[in-house]
Amino acid sequence: MTGVSCVPPAGNGPFCKGVVGSTVRPVAIRERVTRNQWRTLVSAAAAALMAVLPGQPAGAQPPAAGPAESRPVHSYDDAIRESVWVDTGIDGDSDGRTDRVAADIVRPREPAQQGRRVPVIMDASPYYSCCGRGNESQKKTYDAAGNPVQFPLYYDNYFVPRGYATVMVDLAGTNRSDGCVDVGGRSDVLSAKAVVDWLNGRAHAYSSRTGSTPAAADWSTGAVGMIGKSYDGTVANGVAATGVEGLKTIVPIGAISSWYDYYFAKGAPLYDSGPDWLSDYVESPQARSRCGAVQQRLVDGAPRSGDWTRLWSERDYVPDAEKVRASVFVVHGMQDLNVRAKHFGQWWDALADAGVERKIWLAGTGHVDPFDFRRGEWVKTLHRWFDHYLMGIDNGIERGPMADIERAPDQWSTDPVWPAGGTATTTLRPRTGEEPGVGTLGLAPARPGARETFTDDPRLSETDWAERIDMPTPGKVGFTTGPLREDLRLSGGGKVTVTATPSTSTAHVSAVLVDLGPDVIRDYAAPGEGITTLPERTCWGSSTEGDSACYKETRAKTAEVDYTIFSRGWADLGNHASEHTGRPLTPGGKYTITLDLHASDHVVPAGHRLALIVAGTDAGLIEPPASTPRLGLDLARTSVRLPLVGGTKAFAEATGGPPRVTAPQDGPLSGLRDPGTTGPRIPLSPSPGGTTP
């Protein structure tokens, strides 16, 4: 038994919701009991069920004979719920007073009564009042006196009974905090870091936004784990990159590692808006009236030219990976077209170079939380992760597989290291074929002077290109291997170098990798981005009347396809000489540029083909240039470098000899349509709930 989720209502008696992780089965108890009697019964039952020794520290490792995990022995209903305002030490809104950020806290009462301290799970977010968190878009709620009632997500419900505190921080300029939103900059990061400092006795907090009554974190061990999806996980990355003491681990889910790479890809604009739009979207109404100067700095510092500025340097956490003291548990959807897979790839590589202890989960979803695509295994793994890094329990999680990878919907494999052992960079080269724009991909270089051409058509997307990979079309060029005789695995990020001659002074270039062959994949292009939300609920922890631990279940939303696009990259050809600055092109000139392919881990099965497509504007994913040029590719100076498990030898064996099946097939291929969207995106959630059958 892992715990019971019960709500003592105002009516006839307790309303029990079943064991943790079970489908909700309400059971009404007929006997009328008082709230105090109910609390006594729950405490006694918990003590009997869990056999916790008297005087043992909250959440401490049990004796050797017992299971090495924290247990739900504390009352969630009786937990201490409070708000404090932490002084950040900066005056972002220039009102002459240092900003204070609101931190809402729920922590077990029993350790506090016994003078024992507890570790902290912290989620710092700008979304608690504007947009909500999780698949059901939960927001913070408060009672008439302003005391916190609902804490979004399940972290508090599940972990507080197990001896943790949960702290949910309103970033500067949002909800009940002072200051201004600066979209990943100094104010965002320092407003969260200040709370870590306060939890370790290095910063000041107060019991109100403007009052002088101090609030001490004398209940905290100082061990903090930050977690969060998207913007929240991004802030966790940024705080870890400061090297702050006391931050023991972070769990960034679908998180940004460099804000430039959220808005641009080597000069190519990815959205028709900049960080000023996002700031305006999330900040509180009070902040909008006082933060005009900050908004203007975001406009001025992020020109739509795609040039790198000081603003982007401040919001790039990758160079500071060497400062990270915390362990890092990365989770990302390999088909995330909001916070794209480049973000986790470059962050992971930098952490590896810095020797940071780390773990990774890669899913076939888009921008989705693991609670909504692998719920039971996720909660169990996260529990072990926090127990180890925040409570010091030796449960062996750091010695287990480094990587969990979704190979097909709900089918997972593990690897002891990631990228996979034996991975080696292998250079493949495109060559002309029998028809224009339909070439081959292999180890041999093209003959000198070999050339292909295409015309940028901003109406076409990567799916339009892929479905006509075997047909001559004016908007793209494609290069494929023959059907593979053995599986071929790519593990990590790649690069495509193209040498192109444009007909105009501006041009964009896109490159995508495609697995050509029938498959069933998560439908990452649909609402929900690979999940369908169901009406049934399961419970993950304890509930109160105002904060339920029960969440709607999900299942994989799948699609049958003839091809799968699994990596992509974009660039403005004007950035050929510098990643940071673009310049006009000379029509008829020859330019060489390297595009970063987003990190992935994908197996192209035997019988399928591997393809590289080079084209112009990827509709819905990058903004079109000022002109629509015709580009000529010098194939002898064009190549793709891929992280293949087994390297060149594996590729040669997979492509040599007779194939298992024949290809290509006649006519357009079937795949997911329209992965992009028009208009601004925000690093938030997919459409809440996806679709309900």
Side-chain angles (χ1 to χ4, degrees):
M1 184 172 184
T2 54
V4 178
S5 174
C6 300
V7 180
N12 290 331
F15 196 71
C16 297
K17 300 194 179 221
V19 298
V20 173
S22 69
T23 303
V24 179
R25 295 183 177 88
V27 179
I29 298 179
R30 294 181 180 179
E31 290 79 11
R32 187 178 183 87
V33 296
T34 68
R35 181 176 291 268
N36 287 337
Q37 287 172 329
W38 170 245
R39 290 172 180 165
T40 301
L41 288 170
V42 169
S43 298
L49 287 169
M50 304 308 168
V52 175
L53 297 178
Q56 188 177 2
Q61 185 176 353
E69 66 175 21
S70 59
R71 299 296 190 89
V73 298
H74 303 301
S75 168
Y76 181 72
D77 188 49
D78 264 351
I80 298 168
R81 292 168 174 82
E82 59 188 337
S83 301
V84 302
W85 278 260
V86 179
D87 194 328
T88 66
I90 61 175
D91 183 9
D93 51 17
S94 301
D95 65 354
R97 182 175 64 89
T98 54
D99 302 329
R100 295 180 183 180
V101 294
D104 293 317
I105 303 163
V106 56
R107 55 191 175 92
R109 184 175 299 275
E110 296 89 341
Q113 292 174 332
Q114 298 165 14
R116 293 183 285 131
R117 300 177 181 234
V118 296
V120 173
I121 296 168
M122 174 174 152
D123 186 344
S125 177
Y127 293 139
Y128 286 129
S129 64
C130 73
C131 322
R133 305 309 296 130
N135 193 35
E136 299 176 46
S137 299
Q138 290 184 318
K139 298 179 180 180
K140 287 182 177 179
T141 64
Y142 304 89
D143 64 19
N147 300 310
V149 175
Q150 176 173 273
F151 289 72
L153 306 172
Y154 59 95
Y155 306 141
D156 56 314
N157 309 90
Y158 186 85
F159 285 104
V160 168
R162 288 168 166 78
Y164 292 85
T166 299
V167 177
M168 293 192 165
V169 181
D170 298 326
L171 290 182
T174 70
N175 201 18
R176 301 200 296 173
S177 290
D178 294 336
C180 302
V181 178
D182 68 352
V183 188
R186 183 169 176 264
S187 178
D188 274 7
V189 172
L190 293 186
S191 63
K193 176 181 177 292
V195 180
V196 178
D197 284 331
W198 173 68
L199 292 165
N200 282 272
R202 298 188 299 268
H204 299 288
Y206 303 89
S207 59
S208 67
R209 188 170 186 169
T210 58
S212 58
T213 303
D218 50 6
W219 47 266
S220 166
T221 64
V224 181
M226 291 186 69
I227 187 172
K229 178 190 168 194
S230 209
Y231 202 137
D232 306 17
T234 302
V235 173
N237 284 342
V239 174
T242 69
V244 61
E245 187 177 352
L247 184 61
K248 301 299 184 182
T249 190
I250 63 171
V251 185
I253 301 166
I256 294 166
S257 57
S258 168
W259 282 90
Y260 177 88
D261 293 316
Y262 184 73
Y263 288 104
F264 297 96
K266 200 164 286 189
L270 300 177
Y271 305 116
D272 61 359
S273 68
D276 56 301
W277 185 93
L278 178 54
S279 173
D280 183 68
Y281 188 88
V282 303
E283 66 188 2
S284 66
Q286 297 82 3
R288 290 193 186 98
S289 66
R290 66 178 183 257
C291 294
V294 175
Q295 284 275 64
Q296 191 58 49
R297 286 197 293 272
L298 292 175
V299 173
D300 296 341
R304 298 307 294 161
S305 65
D307 287 350
W308 188 282
T309 64
R310 290 178 59 187
L311 181 142
W312 301 122
S313 295
E314 182 182 319
R315 291 159 176 80
D316 183 6
Y317 314 129
V318 177
D320 291 325
E322 62 185 17
K323 298 179 183 178
V324 174
R325 301 184 184 189
S327 63
V328 182
F329 188 172
V330 172
V331 182
H332 217 101
M334 292 183 286
Q335 295 289 7
D336 191 338
L337 297 178
N338 184 344
V339 180
R340 292 156 298 279
K342 179 179 181 181
H343 288 278
F344 88 78
Q346 63 190 6
W347 184 231
W348 182 266
D349 290 345
L351 293 171
D353 290 343
V356 174
E357 206 164 47
R358 62 205 184 282
K359 183 177 178 64
I360 192 167
W361 273 23
L362 297 176
T365 63
H367 201 54
V368 182
D369 193 291
F371 188 72
D372 297 313
F373 62 71
R374 201 187 184 194
R375 184 167 297 180
E377 186 65 24
W378 169 247
V379 174
K380 180 176 72 173
T381 303
L382 187 65
H383 182 186
R384 294 182 64 217
W385 186 263
F386 282 147
D387 272 2
H388 178 68
Y389 287 103
L390 299 182
M391 288 191 174
I393 295 175
D394 184 10
N395 54 25
I397 193 167
E398 81 284 8
R399 299 186 294 274
M402 178 180 283
D404 280 34
I405 301 163
E406 190 174 29
R407 294 295 172 201
D410 294 323
Q411 297 179 28
W412 292 77
S413 67
T414 61
D415 280 274
V417 296
W418 197 84
T423 299
T425 300
T426 304
T427 300
L428 306 182
R429 301 182 183 276
R431 302 183 69 180
T432 55
E434 296 180 359
E435 296 182 277
V438 183
T440 63
L441 186 66
L443 296 170
R447 59 176 174 79
R451 179 181 170 90
E452 290 282 8
T453 61
F454 64 89
T455 300
D456 188 359
D457 186 341
R459 299 169 299 178
L460 302 180
S461 71
E462 57 188 37
T463 58
D464 297 303
W465 307 330
E467 70 181 16
R468 291 172 173 81
I469 183 71
D470 296 317
M471 305 176 189
T473 55
K476 60 93 176 76
V477 293
F479 309 93
T480 69
T481 67
L484 303 181
R485 62 193 300 266
E486 296 180 8
D487 292 353
L488 188 64
R489 179 180 175 185
L490 296 85
S491 184
K495 294 183 181 294
V496 175
T497 298
V498 300
T499 298
T501 301
S503 63
T504 60
S505 60
T506 60
H508 289 165
V509 180
S510 298
V512 298
L513 294 179
V514 190
D515 175 345
L516 296 169
D519 206 349
V520 176
I521 65 174
R522 286 190 183 260
D523 190 351
Y524 63 85
E529 301 188 36
I531 63 168
T532 293
T533 302
L534 307 174
E536 297 83 9
R537 292 179 179 272
T538 54
C539 302
W540 300 86
S542 301
S543 297
T544 64
E545 290 178 277
D547 194 327
S548 173
C550 305
Y551 295 85
K552 290 181 178 179
E553 273 291 298
T554 69
R555 67 169 177 238
K557 181 173 178 58
T558 63
E560 295 184 8
V561 296
D562 293 329
Y563 66 84
T564 304
I565 297 168
F566 63 90
S567 185
R568 45 191 62 85
W570 312 285
D572 187 316
L573 192 57
N575 284 59
H576 62 94
S578 168
E579 293 194 10
H580 291 172
T581 306
R583 62 185 65 178
L585 304 169
T586 300
K590 187 173 285 190
Y591 301 95
T592 299
I593 192 168
T594 297
L595 289 67
D596 297 322
L597 290 173
H598 299 172
S600 184
D601 197 297
H602 185 84
V603 176
V604 183
H608 289 204
R609 295 176 292 152
L610 171 65
L612 167 69
I613 298 175
V614 180
T617 299
D618 194 344
L621 293 175
I622 63 173
E623 295 297 309
S627 57
T628 52
R630 183 176 177 83
L631 290 100
L633 287 187
D634 181 346
L635 297 189
R637 297 175 61 189
T638 296
S639 62
V640 54
R641 299 190 299 281
L642 300 180
L644 300 183
V645 177
T648 302
K649 179 181 179 183
F651 182 84
E653 291 176 348
T655 55
R660 290 190 182 180
V661 296
T662 59
Q665 67 184 66
D666 295 331
L669 305 178
S670 174
L672 302 185
R673 295 295 304 163
D674 299 324
T677 61
T678 58
R681 297 189 192 185
I682 57 173
L684 187 58
S685 302
S687 302
T691 57
T692 301

